[in-house]
Amino acid sequence: MKKITEEELKTIIEQHNLWLDSDGEKGKRANLTDMDLSYMDLSIMNLTRADFTNANLSHANLRCANLYRAILRRADLTRADLTNVNLYHANLTGVDLSRANLSRADLTDANLSGANLTNVNLYHANLTGADLTDTIL
């Protein structure tokens, strides 16, 4: 797993935003697969459709981030702050969210199958239509 610097992350996010704004004509979709982003500040960022497969996001600050349709398969989000995060239609298959804060998160139509939600704060979280098959609660 590669540890990413804040400067590298900034460049990836800039390219991702350019990709989003140009409908894929410019920039590059954020591919953060197998990256160590533990303790990083990703708050308020637009991470729509970014790929975080197998990423380490433990203790990360994702408050108010937009993770619409993001791919977070098997990511480690233990103790992450996901307050007010948009995870609408996100793929969270097999993710570890133990002890994470998901208060006021939008998980509408998210795929949480096989996810670990042990000791998760779901205060006012929206789980409408979420797939909770084999989820550990």
Side-chain angles (χ1 to χ4, degrees):
M1 185 167 286
K2 181 182 187 251
K3 181 68 177 171
I4 192 168
T5 67
E6 288 186 27
E7 196 58 40
E8 289 172 314
L9 179 61
K10 181 181 175 187
T11 300
I12 291 169
I13 298 303
E14 286 172 357
Q15 287 297 305
H16 183 70
N17 285 327
L18 187 58
W19 179 78
L20 287 172
D21 292 342
S22 69
D23 290 326
E25 295 291 319
K26 298 177 183 174
K28 184 178 177 185
R29 179 181 181 185
N31 182 353
L32 296 157
T33 300
D34 295 316
M35 296 289 183
D36 184 353
L37 302 163
S38 56
Y39 295 93
M40 297 287 263
D41 185 0
L42 301 164
S43 60
I44 312 172
M45 291 186 183
N46 185 358
L47 300 164
T48 296
R49 297 177 58 206
D51 190 348
F52 293 93
T53 301
N54 293 322
N56 180 1
L57 291 152
S58 62
H59 300 270
N61 178 5
L62 291 149
R63 291 177 73 94
C64 302
N66 185 359
L67 290 161
Y68 171 74
R69 288 191 177 270
I71 302 166
L72 293 137
R73 286 188 308 259
R74 296 177 308 279
D76 180 358
L77 286 152
T78 55
R79 297 184 186 264
D81 187 354
L82 295 142
T83 304
N84 280 327
V85 73
N86 177 9
L87 285 161
Y88 180 85
H89 218 289
N91 185 339
L92 296 149
T93 307
V95 72
D96 187 353
L97 284 158
S98 54
R99 293 182 223 102
N101 184 0
L102 284 160
S103 61
R104 295 183 301 281
D106 184 1
L107 292 151
T108 302
D109 294 329
N111 184 349
L112 288 154
S113 59
N116 181 356
L117 299 177
T118 307
N119 296 315
V120 171
N121 179 357
L122 290 166
Y123 181 75
H124 284 283
N126 185 351
L127 291 158
T128 305
D131 183 350
L132 299 171
T133 305
D134 297 324
T135 299
I136 302 165
L137 296 170

